[in-house]
Amino acid sequence: MSNQKKRNFQIEAFKHRVVVDPKYAEKTWKILEHAIHEIYNHNASGLSFEELYRNAYNMVLHKFGEKLYSGLVTTMTAHLKEISKSIEAAQGDLFLEELNRKWNDHNKALQMIRDILMYMDRTYIPNSRKTPVYELGLNLWRDNIIHSGKIQSRLLSTLLELVHRERTGEVIDRGLMRNTIKMLMDLGSSVYQDDFEKPFLEAEIRLNEEIERIAHYLDVKSEAKITNVVEKEMIANHMTRLVHMENSGLVNMLLDDKYEDLGRMYNLFKRVPNGLSMIRDVMTSHLRETGKQLVTDAESSKDPVEFVQRLLDERDKYDKIICQAFSNAKTFQNALNSSFEYFINLNSRSPEFISLFVDDKLRKGLKGVSEEDVEIILDKVMMLFRYLQEKDVFEKYYKQHLAKRLLSGKTVSDDAERSLIVKLKTECGYQFTSKLEGMFTDMKTSQDTMQGFYANHLELAEGPTLVVQVLTTGSWPTQPTITCNLPTEMAALCEKFRSHYLGTHTGRRLSWQTNMGTADIKATFGKGQKHELNVSTYQMCVLMLFNNADRLSYKEIEQATEIPASDLKRCLQSMACVKGKNVLRKEPMSKDIGTDDAFFVNDKFTSKFYKVKIGTVVAQKESEPEKLETRQRVEEDRKPQIEAAIVRIMKSRRVLDHNNVIAEVTKQLQSRFLANPTEIKKRIESLIEREFLERDSDDRKLYRYLA
């Protein structure tokens, strides 16, 4: 078998012409036409859908697609005309029920017919650019039923009558109403708009027609009277319905950014009393509800940057609507501002999140962005900042985040940083930003100090390099002073700097904040592989110990460095347990650090980068204990500010009752925070105890200032 020659077989075309029965198309169509009649008459159970599909398939295959399609249109149209008569004959409340029942029947019939004619739908219809079967069925229903002369106007008046009846307290069948509206939407949004937004558009057309009539042949004095009548009949009497209309009312226009429709509504409603206030109130209510959902959503609070971006997007959306559709009217701008102020303060973490958003942008988000765009982003941030009631909380977080950016050298642009501080200064005054400006001053002064130090100590050119940031106490976020034992070579260098600094500045004291520092150290691993490691000062202290020891226990490291236990554990964890950063190894291997663990250099450490960052500090959301601590610090900082405000007020007024003191203190401090009346009362008591104030002997609610 294997030695025989392979033969190439060729199948030749069938040479005899297939003769089709001349009456084939008519016979086959009659079968399909009968099936369509049976489907509409609810007798489909006796039909063989497989046989019907094959018949339709053969008609298209034998080039009778046009006959099949036109026959379908004729048959369906005939049935729909009969259905139309049935719906027209329905009396009273049965009209909508009959319409809905026939619509459901037509939909079921359409699905069956589409299944039978599936092959025509897939081949003949796309090639001949005709309307698909299901869509054709919807169009025929629209033309023969909804746009029937006797049904169209009756349907509109019935639906409007039902809305009116419900408004006057009657109970209506809402399900029936909803199904009818959904039917109109299924037939295409244009059907819904044409059949239900007519009163809305008609008002505008009628007004223009009447004004044109006056111009041509009526007395000019008639204009005001005619306009008032048209406005009342066409707008005022339909305002509530138009605004609250389901699927196309004001809220839907706002959701779908329908600027032209909103503008048309604005221009019509401003003609009638309370028209614009109705639009404004509905917009305010909707905006407050969506804003509340946004700021109280647990998911969005997980990502502070996304949280703030969504607020900005919402603000941009409504700015555009008010500008393009509502003529930038002041009343709408005020409503927008009050709504944002309402919901942004529902989340107590909004000040922290806005600061984290700024931190993200100024660390990396503004790279490659033009100066104009940077200004736009900063202006948007300032807009949200203005809505905050607790501006001092924002200041607290902003100060912490700015400090980390400056000390780690992670800020994208000094100009952008300074620009934001100028904006904050303009908004809140010098007192708000004086410490922030002091931080920048310290950074600049520190550069000059370091240049002076190395100019006076030329012998230090070889060996470790020291960079010191001298931070003024009070300008920077308060940090506990934690000392640790620096490596000998670094300790000697630090001592030289101390002598230099105190020699050039009198009356000052230096304390090292080793917990805030960083270091770049060069390391050589097992096979001579060299890397430059960017680490914290604590990590540097630990790593330098391994120059003189191969293996160290946790207790030995703790004793040698005197780094606080919690910091030391985090520091060792980042160097021994993080994949890709594990320059150390530990025994036993585990994710957590134990006091009995032992550590040694990981000779097998590799990285595709020469420079390796380990445990870089980034701004993160605070944990719950940290959040409480920050809140307590804010509350403590507020006490002297409240007392200062009370003293200023009482000094100028001399005598004032309790309620007025509360009101004036709240007003004076609202640019920084919303003062708690209970806290104001406590501060008044404290000032009375310290004899700044006294109570009136006759009226206990009256306070007097003591010079």
Side-chain angles (χ1 to χ4, degrees):
M1 290 290 288
S2 59
N3 293 332
Q4 287 180 5
K5 288 183 179 179
K6 290 183 180 178
R7 293 179 183 178
N8 291 326
F9 291 99
Q10 188 173 3
I11 299 172
E12 292 186 2
F14 191 64
K15 291 178 181 177
H16 297 290
R17 189 165 170 267
V18 177
V19 180
V20 178
D21 180 357
K23 295 181 180 178
Y24 164 78
E26 193 58 40
K27 286 179 183 176
T28 310
W29 164 242
K30 286 295 178 189
I31 294 168
L32 292 168
E33 184 184 31
H34 172 73
I36 293 170
H37 285 308
E38 291 296 279
I39 288 169
Y40 270 107
N41 293 329
H42 307 291
N43 295 325
S45 57
L47 299 174
S48 167
F49 279 83
E50 187 181 343
E51 187 181 326
L52 291 168
Y53 175 84
R54 193 161 54 246
N55 281 325
Y57 174 87
N58 286 331
M59 276 194 80
V60 175
L61 205 64
H62 292 114
K63 310 296 183 195
F64 294 115
E66 178 56 38
K67 182 174 180 62
L68 180 58
Y69 191 85
S70 60
L72 172 68
V73 173
T74 306
T75 308
M76 283 175 71
T77 302
H79 269 282
L80 289 173
K81 286 191 183 300
E82 290 303 312
I83 289 169
S84 176
K85 289 176 187 175
S86 166
I87 295 168
E88 287 168 17
Q91 298 298 313
D93 292 342
L94 296 175
F95 169 70
L96 271 193
E97 289 180 19
E98 183 69 8
L99 178 67
N100 262 288
R101 184 161 52 249
K102 294 298 184 185
W103 165 248
N104 290 331
D105 290 348
H106 178 61
N107 253 311
K108 288 174 187 172
L110 261 185
Q111 287 166 11
M112 289 188 225
I113 293 167
R114 182 178 60 181
D115 289 345
I116 292 168
L117 305 179
M118 192 183 295
Y119 185 70
M120 179 177 78
D121 234 0
R122 288 181 178 172
T123 56
Y124 171 74
I125 285 174
N127 293 336
S128 58
R129 296 185 178 176
K130 292 188 180 293
T131 308
V133 172
Y134 191 79
E135 194 180 330
L136 172 70
L138 296 181
N139 293 347
L140 291 173
W141 175 271
R142 177 194 65 204
D143 298 339
N144 292 284
I145 307 292
I146 301 303
H147 288 167
S148 156
K150 292 181 181 177
I151 292 176
Q152 187 170 19
S153 57
R154 189 177 170 190
L155 176 59
L156 177 60
S157 59
T158 304
L159 289 173
L160 295 180
E161 175 62 21
L162 283 173
V163 172
H164 176 71
R165 278 161 56 184
E166 189 179 41
R167 285 204 186 107
T168 55
E170 282 189 51
V171 177
I172 66 165
D173 188 341
R174 285 185 168 184
L176 186 60
M177 186 88 168
R178 185 170 57 247
N179 291 341
T180 309
I181 297 293
K182 186 176 183 304
M183 172 192 71
L184 294 175
M185 292 299 291
D186 289 345
L187 294 174
S189 59
S190 62
V191 177
Y192 181 85
Q193 288 162 4
D194 293 345
D195 286 50
F196 282 86
E197 290 183 341
K198 274 187 179 176
F200 188 75
L201 299 171
E202 216 173 274
E204 195 172 40
I205 294 163
R206 293 287 173 268
L207 278 166
N208 292 334
E209 283 176 359
E210 295 302 333
I211 290 165
E212 189 181 347
R213 216 164 270 132
I214 291 160
H216 281 97
Y217 56 79
L218 291 178
D219 184 51
V220 176
K221 292 173 186 173
S222 304
E223 182 174 352
K225 294 174 186 175
I226 291 172
T227 304
N228 284 339
V229 170
V230 175
E231 284 172 349
K232 185 182 177 188
E233 290 300 319
M234 304 302 295
I235 304 171
N237 292 349
H238 299 283
M239 273 200 314
T240 306
R241 180 173 63 81
L242 290 169
V243 166
H244 295 288
M245 193 178 278
E246 191 179 353
N247 295 322
S248 70
L250 178 60
V251 170
N252 284 79
M253 292 181 195
L254 292 170
L255 288 170
D256 299 335
D257 299 332
K258 297 280 183 69
Y259 302 116
E260 286 184 15
D261 291 347
L262 287 165
R264 189 177 290 116
M265 182 179 271
Y266 176 85
N267 289 326
L268 287 172
F269 278 41
K270 75 179 179 183
R271 293 172 172 272
V272 296
N274 303 319
L276 292 185
S277 60
M278 178 180 279
I279 297 178
R280 184 198 62 214
D281 293 346
V282 172
M283 183 194 86
T284 302
S285 174
H286 170 67
L287 179 55
R288 288 190 174 209
E289 188 55 40
T290 53
K292 183 179 178 181
Q293 289 172 6
L294 195 156
V295 300
T296 55
D297 177 26
E299 279 302 308
S300 67
S301 294
K302 289 179 181 177
D303 183 350
V305 177
E306 180 62 24
F307 174 91
V308 176
Q309 189 58 55
R310 285 175 67 185
L311 286 175
L312 292 176
D313 292 344
E314 194 73 1
R315 173 69 200 214
D316 286 346
K317 173 189 173 79
Y318 280 90
D319 268 339
K320 193 173 180 183
I321 287 171
I322 290 170
C323 182
Q324 291 192 14
F326 299 156
S327 300
N328 225 359
K330 194 74 177 171
T331 180
F332 286 92
Q333 286 286 357
N334 292 340
L336 177 62
N337 289 331
S338 67
S339 299
F340 262 80
E341 186 173 343
Y342 160 75
F343 63 71
I344 205 169
N345 290 294
L346 292 176
N347 190 330
S348 62
R349 305 197 76 171
S350 290
E352 178 192 356
F353 289 175
I354 293 172
S355 179
L356 282 164
F357 178 82
V358 173
D359 186 69
D360 178 76
K361 294 297 176 191
L362 292 175
R363 276 176 178 273
K364 56 191 175 185
L366 298 178
K367 276 184 182 171
V369 177
S370 68
E371 283 185 29
E372 292 81 3
D373 290 340
V374 169
E375 284 299 306
I376 290 168
I377 292 168
L378 296 182
D379 284 337
K380 286 182 177 181
V381 168
M382 287 305 302
M383 174 194 61
L384 292 183
F385 170 77
R386 287 185 198 106
Y387 297 135
L388 293 175
Q389 290 173 348
E390 297 189 310
K391 293 182 174 66
D392 57 338
V393 177
F394 170 85
E395 182 196 10
K396 204 73 157 175
Y397 286 111
Y398 182 74
K399 202 171 170 184
Q400 290 174 10
H401 298 150
L402 174 62
K404 287 179 180 177
R405 287 197 299 276
L406 292 177
L407 294 176
S408 61
K410 292 289 171 59
T411 185
V412 168
S413 161
D414 275 352
D415 289 340
E417 294 278 10
R418 291 181 185 279
S419 175
L420 185 56
I421 289 175
V422 169
K423 292 179 193 296
L424 289 167
K425 189 175 183 178
T426 306
E427 191 69 30
C428 300
Y430 170 75
Q431 187 185 1
F432 193 90
T433 58
S434 59
K435 291 179 179 179
L436 303 176
E437 290 173 326
M439 291 161 74
F440 278 95
T441 304
D442 284 348
M443 296 300 290
K444 179 70 179 73
T445 307
S446 296
Q447 287 179 3
D448 299 338
T449 302
M450 291 314 300
Q451 287 175 2
F453 172 63
Y454 276 105
N456 290 339
H457 293 80
L458 297 173
E459 75 280 3
L460 299 176
E462 300 295 325
T465 304
L466 179 69
V467 178
V468 179
Q469 315 287 3
V470 183
L471 315 180
T472 307
T473 306
S475 291
W476 295 74
T478 50
Q479 294 277 351
T481 303
I482 303 168
T483 56
C484 73
N485 295 332
L486 293 169
T488 311
E489 47 270 66
M490 293 310 300
L493 203 51
C494 289
E495 195 52 47
K496 282 189 178 180
F497 177 81
R498 180 195 291 274
S499 302
H500 167 80
Y501 186 81
L502 297 179
T504 53
H505 299 82
T506 55
R508 296 195 183 181
R509 186 167 60 87
L510 283 182
S511 55
W512 296 101
Q513 297 284 117
T514 48
N515 55 319
M516 294 169 70
T518 60
D520 292 324
I521 57 177
K522 290 179 179 175
T524 307
F525 293 92
K527 295 179 180 178
Q529 193 172 1
K530 294 183 178 181
H531 289 285
E532 188 176 296
L533 308 178
N534 177 252
V535 294
S536 69
T537 303
Y538 284 164
Q539 290 168 333
M540 181 261 299
C541 293
V542 171
L543 290 173
M544 295 287 276
L545 295 176
F546 288 94
N547 281 337
N548 303 315
D550 294 329
R551 180 190 179 96
L552 291 166
S553 68
Y554 172 85
K555 289 177 181 174
E556 286 172 333
I557 294 171
E558 185 178 37
Q559 190 177 355
T561 59
E562 293 186 4
I563 296 170
S566 59
D567 291 320
L568 180 59
K569 284 181 180 178
R570 275 202 301 272
C571 156
L572 287 167
Q573 200 170 23
S574 63
M575 294 193 291
C577 305
V578 179
K579 193 175 180 181
K581 314 284 185 182
N582 51 336
V583 291
L584 296 181
R585 286 170 60 200
K586 76 184 234 10
E587 288 181 354
M589 272 309 294
S590 64
K591 289 183 180 178
D592 298 315
I593 303 295
T595 53
D596 296 324
D597 290 351
F599 299 86
F600 42 93
V601 175
N602 179 12
D603 288 332
K604 294 179 182 176
F605 173 78
T606 57
S607 174
K608 57 183 177 181
F609 302 108
Y610 173 69
K611 290 185 177 181
V612 181
K613 290 183 182 180
I614 299 174
T616 51
V617 181
V618 292
Q620 294 172 331
K621 283 198 298 180
E622 289 187 310
S623 62
E624 282 303 315
E626 288 172 330
K627 194 169 79 173
L628 286 171
E629 190 183 330
T630 302
R631 173 56 65 178
Q632 286 168 359
R633 286 207 303 270
V634 167
E635 295 294 344
E636 284 301 314
D637 288 348
R638 285 179 180 177
K639 289 178 182 178
Q641 293 179 64
I642 294 171
E643 288 183 355
I646 295 168
V647 170
R648 277 196 304 274
I649 291 160
M650 291 305 298
K651 197 171 183 179
S652 65
R653 302 290 290 273
R654 310 306 290 183
V655 179
L656 201 61
D657 67 276
H658 178 79
N659 288 344
N660 275 318
V661 172
I662 298 286
E664 292 208 25
V665 168
T666 305
K667 188 178 177 183
Q668 271 203 17
L669 295 173
Q670 67 184 7
S671 65
R672 283 187 61 76
F673 59 90
L674 195 64
N676 186 332
T678 309
E679 190 56 45
I680 297 173
K681 190 177 178 184
K682 286 180 183 176
R683 294 302 97 217
I684 291 170
E685 296 294 339
S686 174
L687 289 169
I688 290 171
E689 283 175 18
R690 288 178 280 157
E691 298 183 352
F692 282 90
L693 309 176
E694 68 174 3
R695 277 196 176 86
D696 187 86
S697 54
D698 298 325
D699 186 353
R700 301 290 291 168
K701 289 189 175 180
L702 206 61
Y703 303 118
R704 295 180 184 280
Y705 178 69
L706 299 175

